Amino acid sequence: LVTGRGRIDESLFDDLEESLIKADVSVRLVTTALDTLRERTRTERWSDPDDILRGLRQTLGQALRNPAVREVGLATGAPSPSLYLFVGVNGVGKTTSIAKLTRRLTASGAKALLAAADTFRAGAIEQLDTWADRLDVGIIKHRPGADPSAVVFDAIQAARARHIDYVLADTAGRIQTKAHLMEELRKVARVAERSLGRRPDEVLLVMDATTGQNGISQARLFTEAVPVSGIILTKLDGTARGGIVLSIADELGIPIKLVGSGERAEDLEDFDPEAFIKALLA
Amino acid sequence: SLTDKLQGVFARLRGRGRLTEKDIDEALREVRLALLEADVHYRVVKEFLQRVRERAIGTEVFESLSGAQTVVRIVHSELTALLGGSDARVQFAPKGQTVLMLCGLQGSGKTTTCGKLAGWMRRHGRHALLVACDIYRPAARRQLEVLGEQIKAPVYGGSQGQSPVQIARDALRHAAVNGNDVVIVDTAGRLHIDEAMMEELAQIREAIQPHETLLVVDAMTGQDAVNFATDFHTRLSVSGFVLTKLDGDARGGAALSIRHVTGVPVKFVGMGEKLDNLDAFHPDRMASRILG
Ligand SMILES: Nc1nc2c(ncn2[C@@H]2O[C@H](COP(=O)(O)OP(=O)(O)OP(=O)(O)O)[C@@H](O)[C@H]2O)c(=O)[nH]1
Ligand SMILES: Nc1nc2c(ncn2[C@@H]2O[C@H](COP(=O)(O)OP(=O)(O)OP(=O)(O)O)[C@@H](O)[C@H]2O)c(=O)[nH]1
Ligand SMILES: [Mg+2]
Ligand SMILES: [Mg+2]
């Protein structure tokens, strides 16, 4: 980005603004970050564009340095099973992310059970069922149109009976501004909490890296409805940079825990803040 | 709203008879912010504001009392003109089969839109065949079959082991035999940077010569829209966009970006998950939505 530049001038700041906006970083955060850099250029007497780049990485990294945001590991609870609930708007990669996390958990020897609590969308149960077969794990499914809360309830009971370590529950995609759908989600979380005797160990908000400014609305409204504990940012193998998560971390303090980097079960990585910011500025 | 923000700008400039260039620039900063927050592409915003600026400065009578409304009116009309102004109707074959191919990134709403289009076709007196050319996603064919049952449209999925190109080609023959005058081909979601998958799509297109190649785009897409829309269009010559999930609160600025850089019109909008939630595209409504 700053290669071949001899000095710090307004055109450098214009280029940085363009790169950050094109990475879907919010205008508010871009303006704040660049104002900070302009100030530091003055007070620290910077003359080398590399200082700007380093300063920018620090400023953006600040959003991710929120203490709540830095705990990237997945929580577990006792007594088992640990429950991971997957939520998010339509088409972002919830079902596929369940498959990926299941593969990771079972690879380390743990036992997992899937809950097909998307009882609405065409082929949703069959899609998760196919993954259960491929991953050789059990699945609790009811009929299409059944109450999603009942599926999650049954899965928790079954996991206890079978001494299973993890229940991963799929939910239907839903637009965050649809009150009746968010109420349905609240009920799923309530029923799960009652059955588990504690909150779900993780409520993972799945977000698509191609999402623009609407991502903030998604994070805000899903967190208001259910205790979102982390974000899974998918489709980072595309050209979208997912910059909106910086604002989400900055304003809401939600940790980004995992990243989806493809469509296979093995395409799941831990979130790496340094690598993320580096890619943002590439 | 943008009008309120501009009222604030113009209130500070009160008492002047005519807007100066400096006043226009200050007003345009608010417009720029509104468009970027609506996910309009950085460069498209630049070019768009240039047009607005020329029109605003060229305007003769400029009462600063109604300056805010004037600027919003100019912006709204420029947006509407840019979003519209092209034939957004479906191109039907003059006789025989009409073939539509749907493509796009993963999760954008292609399969659901295929189901919706089959319903739309029936309401227009035509009989569509749905074709399941996604052989990769778990239970993709099953998803389309369920939608086909719901909308009462037949679904063709070829036989086990066939490639998407073979399935598509056989589907045309199947449609001819069964009296389907419209063939709607669903394809797997794919990245525009996945060379093998883009080549597959080009081959499907070559085999079936669609009358419509529809790129399905999620309304919440941000700045990346220009990247993939350009690539899909360059590779396949897209004839129309379908903008999905407009029942959410995403402003949908990606629509302006992709229309501006490719010249391709938005032909349909998805307004919900149910199969009757497919609407015609209204440029003026989209303009208001983008402006927030
Ligand atoms: N390239 C890429 N594709 C992904 C990734 N994660 C998911 N996908 C694809 O995105 C599409 C949607 O994934 P799903 O898992 O069905 O998404 P979902 O959120 O469960 O969708 P709904 O249940 O319909 O709301 C599928 O084609 C997946 O293969 C990722 O990290 N990279
Ligand atoms: N709210 C809303 N949801 C939609 C709309 N169109 C599609 N969806 C939902 O978006 C999700 C993804 O839709 P699909 O039709 O599976 O998307 P796709 O492009 O075929 O996905 P892949 O085949 O995996 O690439 C599903 O949950 C759909 O119900 C829409 O207009 N509004
Ligand atoms: Mg799903
Ligand atoms: Mg599909």
Side-chain angles (χ1 to χ4, degrees):
Chain A
L1 186 67
V2 289
T3 48
R5 285 174 173 269
R7 60 203 205 125
I8 297 172
D9 56 15
E10 216 26 57
S11 85
L12 171 60
F13 283 102
D14 285 346
D15 287 357
L16 285 176
E17 182 194 57
E18 177 164 352
S19 292
L20 291 171
I21 296 218
K22 277 160 64 174
D24 289 311
V25 182
S26 75
V27 178
R28 200 165 83 111
L29 199 55
V30 173
T31 308
T32 311
L34 294 184
D35 284 349
T36 302
L37 289 179
R38 281 193 188 89
E39 181 66 8
R40 290 183 68 185
T41 302
R42 228 175 35 77
T43 58
E44 299 180 40
R45 300 179 187 284
W46 286 342
S47 58
D48 183 349
D50 283 340
D51 292 326
I52 293 283
L53 206 51
R54 202 175 326 109
L56 185 56
R57 281 203 288 270
Q58 286 170 2
T59 305
L60 296 179
Q62 206 70 347
L64 299 174
R65 211 157 290 137
N66 180 328
V69 169
R70 288 247 76 163
E71 28 101 0
V72 165
L74 293 176
T76 54
S80 67
S82 293
L83 173 67
Y84 295 166
L85 188 64
F86 290 70
V87 305
V89 301
N90 308 73
V92 293
K94 298 176 291 302
T95 306
T96 309
S97 297
I98 288 174
K100 293 174 182 180
L101 188 54
T102 300
R103 179 182 182 276
R104 177 192 274 210
L105 294 172
T106 54
S108 61
K111 295 214 227 70
L113 179 68
L114 305 187
D118 176 355
T119 55
F120 169 75
R121 204 210 68 213
I125 297 171
E126 291 90 330
Q127 183 185 5
L128 193 66
D129 204 3
T130 304
W131 279 116
D133 275 346
R134 286 188 193 177
L135 298 166
D136 194 24
V137 294
I139 180 167
I140 297 297
K141 43 185 177 155
H142 291 190
R143 294 173 166 289
D147 179 0
S149 303
V151 181
V152 177
F153 182 89
D154 281 0
I156 294 170
Q157 306 286 65
R160 270 198 202 109
R162 305 178 202 176
H163 305 292
I164 287 174
D165 306 298
Y166 296 96
V167 170
L168 293 94
D170 197 7
T171 63
R174 67 201 67 227
I175 296 286
Q176 72 276 17
T177 50
K178 297 195 172 169
H180 64 295
L181 296 183
M182 298 311 278
E183 183 49 37
E184 176 187 79
L185 195 59
R186 258 189 215 99
K187 178 171 172 226
V188 171
R190 257 198 324 271
V191 167
E193 181 169 345
R194 214 170 296 145
S195 163
L196 211 56
R198 61 180 187 273
R199 282 179 156 185
D201 300 286
E202 292 281 351
V203 176
L204 297 166
L205 175 61
V206 183
M207 296 191 62
D208 188 325
T210 66
T211 302
Q213 301 306 304
N214 192 251
I216 303 194
S217 164
Q218 291 175 28
R220 211 169 267 145
L221 294 181
F222 271 92
T223 305
E224 274 176 29
V226 290
V228 172
S229 58
I231 286 172
I232 300 181
L233 183 61
T234 63
K235 308 181 196 174
L236 266 182
D237 47 317
T239 49
R241 296 276 73 95
I244 199 63
V245 299
L246 286 180
S247 301
I248 294 173
D250 190 40
E251 292 177 31
L252 301 172
I254 305 170
I256 303 135
K257 300 210 166 188
L258 297 164
V259 161
S261 55
E263 303 193 64
R264 303 169 313 163
E266 33 277 270
D267 296 329
L268 184 72
E269 299 160 21
D270 287 339
F271 178 67
D272 177 348
E274 272 73 47
F276 179 77
I277 290 180
K278 208 158 188 277
L280 213 63
L281 300 174
Chain B
S1 74
L2 179 61
T3 308
D4 295 338
K5 296 211 183 101
L6 288 178
Q7 305 272 23
V9 171
F10 282 91
R12 289 197 292 283
L13 312 172
R14 191 153 300 153
R16 310 183 193 179
R18 177 182 292 199
L19 290 184
T20 65
E21 297 212 8
K22 193 156 166 295
D23 301 338
I24 306 271
D25 284 345
E26 197 164 338
L28 290 188
R29 262 200 292 282
E30 287 297 334
V31 178
R32 177 174 186 264
L33 190 59
L35 294 175
L36 289 176
E37 286 177 341
D39 293 323
V40 180
H41 192 264
Y42 188 89
R43 301 219 152 214
V44 174
V45 171
K46 249 188 192 228
E47 292 172 28
F48 178 78
L49 288 179
Q50 190 48 33
R51 286 165 73 123
V52 171
R53 192 169 187 281
E54 285 163 11
R55 235 183 101 174
I57 287 179
T59 308
E60 275 305 319
V61 182
F62 236 120
E63 283 281 88
S64 65
L65 233 65
S66 66
Q69 285 96 323
T70 308
V71 172
V72 174
R73 200 165 42 242
I74 290 175
V75 172
H76 192 277
S77 97
E78 284 293 320
L79 275 182
T80 304
L82 234 171
L83 288 165
S86 185
D87 195 351
R89 290 172 304 176
V90 174
Q91 294 304 317
F92 285 101
K95 62 178 173 34
Q97 256 170 23
T98 297
V99 181
L100 294 84
M101 182 178 87
L102 276 76
C103 59
L105 298 190
Q106 292 90 345
S108 54
K110 298 174 292 299
T111 306
T112 309
T113 302
C114 284
K116 292 176 178 179
L117 280 170
W120 187 88
M121 287 297 169
R122 153 167 307 114
R123 291 195 291 279
H124 286 74
R126 293 165 194 265
H127 305 95
L129 172 72
L130 291 164
V131 185
C133 283
D134 179 353
I135 61 170
Y136 309 100
R137 170 171 154 154
R141 176 177 171 171
R142 177 68 192 141
Q143 181 183 5
L144 195 62
E145 285 169 353
V146 173
L147 295 178
E149 285 165 22
Q150 289 175 1
I151 204 75
K152 308 252 182 339
V155 178
Y156 182 80
S159 33
Q160 186 72 278
Q162 278 191 310
S163 74
V165 177
Q166 292 168 327
I167 296 170
R169 206 176 277 135
D170 289 357
L172 296 195
R173 236 168 276 143
H174 182 91
V177 164
N178 289 279
N180 297 109
D181 55 349
V182 173
V183 182
I184 301 169
V185 180
D186 187 21
T187 64
R190 69 202 65 217
L191 295 177
H192 54 117
I193 53 173
D194 185 334
E195 185 48 45
M197 287 300 275
M198 290 305 284
E199 177 56 25
E200 172 191 278
L201 206 50
Q203 287 177 6
I204 297 174
R205 186 172 195 280
E206 179 63 22
I208 62 178
Q209 301 286 312
H211 302 84
E212 287 282 356
T213 298
L214 300 175
L215 181 64
V216 179
V217 179
D218 193 322
M220 62 187 182
T221 308
Q223 300 283 311
D224 196 45
V226 162
N227 298 329
F228 65 82
T230 315
D231 275 4
F232 272 90
H233 187 46
T234 306
R235 290 299 301 263
L236 308 170
S237 187
V238 173
S239 62
F241 297 117
V242 180
L243 195 65
T244 61
K245 309 178 201 173
L246 264 160
D247 46 316
D249 64 340
R251 300 260 289 272
L256 180 70
S257 309
I258 62 184
R259 167 92 177 113
H260 179 75
V261 300
T262 64
V264 172
V266 178
K267 297 207 170 185
F268 290 103
V269 296
M271 295 292 308
E273 300 182 72
K274 306 236 172 74
L275 294 182
D276 54 1
N277 297 143
L278 186 73
D279 288 349
F281 178 66
H282 296 282
D284 56 332
R285 287 186 212 167
M286 194 71 212
S288 302
R289 180 187 183 118
I290 289 175
L291 286 181

PDB file of all heavy atoms in Angstrom, chain B residues 110-111 134 137 143 186-187, ligand 4:
ATOM      1  N   LYS B 110     -29.922 -17.974  -4.673  1.00  0.00           N
ATOM      2  CA  LYS B 110     -30.197 -18.479  -6.028  1.00  0.00           C
ATOM      3  C   LYS B 110     -31.290 -19.544  -6.044  1.00  0.00           C
ATOM      4  O   LYS B 110     -32.249 -19.452  -6.827  1.00  0.00           O
ATOM      5  CB  LYS B 110     -28.918 -19.092  -6.629  1.00  0.00           C
ATOM      6  CG  LYS B 110     -27.776 -18.099  -6.797  1.00  0.00           C
ATOM      7  CD  LYS B 110     -26.512 -18.774  -7.260  1.00  0.00           C
ATOM      8  CE  LYS B 110     -25.905 -19.710  -6.205  1.00  0.00           C
ATOM      9  NZ  LYS B 110     -25.522 -18.995  -4.963  1.00  0.00           N
ATOM     10  N   THR B 111     -31.131 -20.576  -5.205  1.00  0.00           N
ATOM     11  CA  THR B 111     -32.071 -21.693  -5.233  1.00  0.00           C
ATOM     12  C   THR B 111     -33.477 -21.227  -4.896  1.00  0.00           C
ATOM     13  O   THR B 111     -34.454 -21.585  -5.566  1.00  0.00           O
ATOM     14  CB  THR B 111     -31.589 -22.801  -4.266  1.00  0.00           C
ATOM     15  OG1 THR B 111     -30.238 -23.152  -4.604  1.00  0.00           O
ATOM     16  CG2 THR B 111     -32.479 -24.029  -4.338  1.00  0.00           C
ATOM     17  N   ASP B 134     -26.622 -27.805  -9.156  1.00  0.00           N
ATOM     18  CA  ASP B 134     -25.666 -27.719  -8.042  1.00  0.00           C
ATOM     19  C   ASP B 134     -25.470 -29.146  -7.552  1.00  0.00           C
ATOM     20  O   ASP B 134     -26.342 -29.709  -6.884  1.00  0.00           O
ATOM     21  CB  ASP B 134     -26.213 -26.833  -6.917  1.00  0.00           C
ATOM     22  CG  ASP B 134     -25.252 -26.746  -5.725  1.00  0.00           C
ATOM     23  OD1 ASP B 134     -24.230 -27.473  -5.718  1.00  0.00           O
ATOM     24  OD2 ASP B 134     -25.529 -25.948  -4.812  1.00  0.00           O
ATOM     25  N   ARG B 137     -23.316 -28.814  -3.133  1.00  0.00           N
ATOM     26  CA  ARG B 137     -23.830 -28.498  -1.799  1.00  0.00           C
ATOM     27  C   ARG B 137     -24.682 -29.654  -1.282  1.00  0.00           C
ATOM     28  O   ARG B 137     -25.533 -30.190  -2.013  1.00  0.00           O
ATOM     29  CB  ARG B 137     -24.661 -27.214  -1.878  1.00  0.00           C
ATOM     30  CG  ARG B 137     -25.433 -26.920  -0.617  1.00  0.00           C
ATOM     31  CD  ARG B 137     -26.049 -25.543  -0.656  1.00  0.00           C
ATOM     32  NE  ARG B 137     -27.227 -25.488   0.204  1.00  0.00           N
ATOM     33  CZ  ARG B 137     -27.681 -24.389   0.768  1.00  0.00           C
ATOM     34  NH1 ARG B 137     -27.069 -23.246   0.558  1.00  0.00           N
ATOM     35  NH2 ARG B 137     -28.759 -24.424   1.526  1.00  0.00           N
ATOM     36  N   GLN B 143     -33.318 -29.555  -1.813  1.00  0.00           N
ATOM     37  CA  GLN B 143     -33.859 -28.226  -1.529  1.00  0.00           C
ATOM     38  C   GLN B 143     -34.708 -27.745  -2.701  1.00  0.00           C
ATOM     39  O   GLN B 143     -35.841 -27.282  -2.530  1.00  0.00           O
ATOM     40  CB  GLN B 143     -32.716 -27.243  -1.257  1.00  0.00           C
ATOM     41  CG  GLN B 143     -33.162 -25.837  -0.916  1.00  0.00           C
ATOM     42  CD  GLN B 143     -31.982 -24.883  -0.734  1.00  0.00           C
ATOM     43  OE1 GLN B 143     -30.824 -25.236  -0.954  1.00  0.00           O
ATOM     44  NE2 GLN B 143     -32.258 -23.648  -0.344  1.00  0.00           N
ATOM     45  N   ASP B 186     -30.644 -23.695 -11.860  1.00  0.00           N
ATOM     46  CA  ASP B 186     -29.969 -23.317 -10.613  1.00  0.00           C
ATOM     47  C   ASP B 186     -28.535 -23.816 -10.674  1.00  0.00           C
ATOM     48  O   ASP B 186     -28.289 -24.940 -11.129  1.00  0.00           O
ATOM     49  CB  ASP B 186     -30.699 -23.958  -9.410  1.00  0.00           C
ATOM     50  CG  ASP B 186     -30.175 -23.472  -8.059  1.00  0.00           C
ATOM     51  OD1 ASP B 186     -29.564 -22.399  -8.003  1.00  0.00           O
ATOM     52  OD2 ASP B 186     -30.385 -24.194  -7.062  1.00  0.00           O
ATOM     53  N   THR B 187     -27.583 -22.989 -10.264  1.00  0.00           N
ATOM     54  CA  THR B 187     -26.185 -23.430 -10.256  1.00  0.00           C
ATOM     55  C   THR B 187     -25.622 -23.280  -8.846  1.00  0.00           C
ATOM     56  O   THR B 187     -26.197 -22.576  -8.005  1.00  0.00           O
ATOM     57  CB  THR B 187     -25.322 -22.617 -11.241  1.00  0.00           C
ATOM     58  OG1 THR B 187     -25.273 -21.248 -10.819  1.00  0.00           O
ATOM     59  CG2 THR B 187     -25.889 -22.701 -12.653  1.00  0.00           C
TER      60      THR B 187
HETATM   61 MG    MG C   4     -28.343 -22.995  -3.867  1.00  0.00          MG
END
